[in-house]
Amino acid sequence: MYPKQRQELLLQLLAQHGFVSYRQLAERLGVSEITVRRDMKALQDQGLVEKAFGGGQVAKVSSELPYMHKRIMQIGEKSAIAKAALQHIEPGMTIGIAAGTTTWMLAQSIVGFRDLTLLTNSVNVASELCRNGYADILLTGGLYRTPSDALVGPVAERMARQFRTDVLFMGTNGMHIDHGLSTPNLHEASINRVLMERAAKVVVLADHTKWGIEAMCSFAGLDEIDVLITDKLPGDAERQALQDMNVHVVETPVPVASDSLS
């Protein structure tokens, strides 16, 4: 196994299990602990993981990780959230789907709904919808931006303003009671704002790791969303605050994996 492949697998294990010891990682990867420490150092230099006593964990930062890395993080949580989001789709709707890895998983799950019109600023989302047999897909165009793989900028915003959606599904990099929804990039904050303004209902899809993160650009207060679908809330204070804001919260707990590391 090449170092890059090994590091991808290591990152996936950390994302799935949280903290993992060097010994556990070495056993799962079939390499020495020295090799694991070397790979951890490489990932740490990229800002992807944090060293902890005896092992490592995924870095919890407000800066952006590469799209391919984000796709493998919290897979179980994102899948459960995406399935719960399907309850907000009805045949004949015009649906907005903002760029993101959880919304990408939602796009994979949208199957069998008739007469949908779909608007997105994500090539990845559009590809999944096309693969599922949908033809009425409106792609905003605009500047292609990595690491989120989103279409942003004046062209994307101008296109988005031409349409009214029944429901918008969107993710977020950060979620905070006071700071609201946020992203590290000004252009993404701007297109997210436009998509929200053109939607009759806004549904945010965000797993628990987004709580407490305050990225650079806030694009909406939590009181501006209608529904939050998450795997779990941090505590009663957040639950009460959201209730006071009239945000409908759907929690989708993920069953404990049977193949946990030992």
Side-chain angles (χ1 to χ4, degrees), residues 133-257:
Y134 293 100
D136 294 331
I137 304 170
L138 303 167
L139 198 57
T140 63
L143 178 67
Y144 181 76
R145 179 183 178 274
T146 56
S148 62
D149 290 1
L151 298 172
V152 300
V155 172
E157 292 174 28
R158 188 159 53 246
M159 172 70 167
R161 285 194 180 96
Q162 296 181 46
F163 298 93
R164 182 75 172 166
T165 57
D166 296 303
V167 59
L168 167 69
F169 296 100
M170 68 187 314
T172 182
N173 291 82
M175 188 162 49
H176 192 279
I177 291 298
D178 299 318
H179 195 59
L181 306 177
S182 58
T183 172
N185 184 266
L186 179 63
H187 296 297
E188 282 206 52
S190 186
I191 184 64
N192 285 347
R193 187 72 211 172
V194 171
L195 289 169
M196 288 184 67
E197 290 171 354
R198 302 302 299 162
K201 180 167 73 172
V202 177
V203 180
V204 172
L205 314 179
D207 66 76
H208 70 278
T209 64
K210 307 301 175 64
W211 278 105
I213 300 295
E214 299 181 58
M216 183 179 70
C217 302
S218 178
F219 61 86
L222 293 181
D223 59 345
E224 296 180 82
I225 70 177
D226 299 291
V227 181
L228 169 64
I229 305 179
T230 184
D231 56 308
K232 62 181 177 180
L233 295 174
D236 292 337
E238 288 79 7
R239 183 174 286 102
Q240 184 60 54
L242 289 165
Q243 182 178 330
D244 293 342
M245 296 177 193
N246 295 316
V247 177
H248 177 58
V249 177
V250 178
E251 292 184 77
T252 59
V254 179
V256 177

